[in-house]
Amino acid sequence: MSKKKPFLSRHLIPKINLFPQKKGSKIGLPPGSMVFTGKKKIEDVTIELTHYDEEFYEQKKISLKELPNVLENRKKVTWIDVDGLHDIETLEEIRQIFSINKLTMEDILDVDQRPKMEVVEDYLYVSVKMIRKEPEGDALDVEQVSFLLRQDLVITFQEREGDVFNYVRGRLENSIGNIRKRGSDYLLYALLDSIIDSYFVVLEGIGSRLEDLEEAAINNAGDETLNRIYFQRKQLMAIRKAIYPLREVSVVFQKHEGPHVSQEIHPFLQDLHENITQVIELLDGFRDFSGSLLDLCMNILSNKMNQIMKVLTVISTIFIPLSFVAGVYGMNFENMPELHLRNGYFYVLGGMFVAVMGMLLYFRWKKWF
């Protein structure tokens, strides 16, 4: 016996992590314990150094041993990008070199951390989610990016190489705009702005797919369409989890008063807050639209089922009197006068035909089909 096909096919819905992973490995450990909660995505930890001023720019890969010299001979602004969080020993050395608080490093290694901003000792800590579309299919890659902002220094921590900061690197290399004339706080703003801009790209793709799903639901609603709509709703839930806390982060960033953030970039931070608000409004609109699509698809399928049931009911209603007549004259009694009529068979067939036509005309008059 063949198995019944599930209403929502599991193989058609790629897995999306909506809930924290590997939290059990931290149970019972003291605060500040360095435990990486994600998956190993690259073999070795890589460090990229970018330092610049108005007249100078350099970008290169460096080793862990070169980091102390970077602090001694850095230019106006230094950006250190650390890719790979699985090597705890290497991350511990980096923590000691830059005097990073153990609680901050614990948050950096907890890749399911809620996006937030904190002022810790002599630096500003920011944690956000970077969202990109996978090269194949419609799945999304959600990666945590952590930032440390110090005077003339920005440190980023990522799970693997590859990000959405290439436009910022291009502006630095080609000295586009005033980015090389400003400080590290403006660099942090530019990096955060690149992540926010990538949200628009991701949501634009989801919006296009939702439009296609609307047409598919109207023209040919089925289990596959339901699966695709449900998958898009799961994606929107994952994006919502990553984006909603950013509004709070932008507000804290705007209100922060200290040596880390200058008054000159406050207008840019206001623009960042407005972009985050726009992303959230767009996300809410897509969530409502996907819910409406799901209801539309279910209603169309329900309407199709009702049409099928209506046709079957009409057919059953037509055959009820015919079955009654056939049952009556199928009884084996001798005293049935109609059985001895010469044309009785044709009379019964004619009566049955008149009954069928009468019921069809009545159903048509009632507009039941």
Side-chain angles (χ1 to χ4, degrees), residues 50-57 75-79 152 154 164-194 262 264-265 268:
T50 303
H51 56 159
Y52 61 89
D53 55 26
E54 292 185 35
E55 305 297 332
F56 174 83
Y57 170 83
K75 298 293 181 178
K76 178 180 179 181
V77 179
T78 301
W79 173 20
D152 300 332
V154 174
V164 296
F165 303 143
N166 288 335
Y167 181 66
V168 176
R169 294 186 179 96
R171 289 169 59 192
L172 288 171
E173 182 178 1
N174 300 306
S175 190
I176 299 175
N178 297 321
I179 188 169
R180 279 169 51 174
K181 298 179 181 178
R182 299 183 183 274
S184 57
D185 53 354
Y186 186 85
L187 174 61
L188 175 58
Y189 152 74
L191 296 175
L192 292 175
D193 189 56
S194 295
S262 64
E264 296 179 356
I265 72 162
F268 301 103

Side-chain angles (χ1 to χ4, degrees), residues 111-222:
V111 296
D112 288 300
Q113 185 68 236
R114 183 178 184 269
K116 64 178 181 178
M117 174 177 287
E118 294 179 346
V119 179
V120 184
E121 299 174 353
D122 62 336
Y123 57 85
L124 197 66
Y125 168 67
V126 183
S127 172
V128 299
K129 301 293 184 183
M130 180 170 60
I131 304 175
R132 293 172 293 176
K133 183 179 177 296
E134 293 284 4
E136 298 181 0
D138 295 331
L140 298 179
D141 174 48
V142 181
E143 178 184 348
Q144 176 168 298
V145 182
S146 299
F147 301 86
L148 293 183
L149 172 65
R150 278 198 174 107
Q151 189 69 30
D152 300 332
L153 175 65
V154 174
I155 309 174
T156 56
F157 294 88
Q158 304 182 55
E159 295 181 66
R160 65 181 182 187
E161 293 182 327
D163 49 43
V164 296
F165 303 143
N166 288 335
Y167 181 66
V168 176
R169 294 186 179 96
R171 289 169 59 192
L172 288 171
E173 182 178 1
N174 300 306
S175 190
I176 299 175
N178 297 321
I179 188 169
R180 279 169 51 174
K181 298 179 181 178
R182 299 183 183 274
S184 57
D185 53 354
Y186 186 85
L187 174 61
L188 175 58
Y189 152 74
L191 296 175
L192 292 175
D193 189 56
S194 295
I195 292 178
I196 303 303
D197 288 343
S198 69
Y199 294 160
F200 285 104
V201 177
V202 171
L203 290 177
E204 182 181 355
I206 292 179
S208 298
R209 291 193 290 273
L210 287 176
E211 290 179 357
D212 295 338
L213 286 174
E214 181 184 26
E215 184 176 354
I218 294 174
N219 295 331
N220 187 25

Side-chain angles (χ1 to χ4, degrees), residues 218-281:
I218 294 174
N219 295 331
N220 187 25
D223 289 352
E224 182 179 355
T225 305
L226 276 173
N227 276 288
R228 292 171 60 193
I229 295 174
Y230 183 67
F231 172 56
Q232 295 301 326
R233 284 187 62 81
K234 287 191 67 176
Q235 282 192 332
L236 291 171
M237 288 174 63
I239 296 174
R240 183 183 187 275
K241 177 184 174 183
I243 292 179
Y244 257 68
L246 282 180
R247 183 149 48 187
E248 178 183 343
V249 170
S250 65
V251 171
V252 174
F253 202 2
Q254 279 184 284
K255 294 182 178 180
H256 175 70
E257 296 181 0
H260 310 99
V261 181
S262 64
Q263 293 292 328
E264 296 179 356
I265 72 162
H266 276 204
F268 301 103
L269 298 182
Q270 176 62 33
D271 179 70
L272 186 71
H273 176 73
E274 292 174 356
N275 288 340
I276 293 173
T277 302
Q278 186 177 354
V279 168
I280 291 175
E281 291 176 351

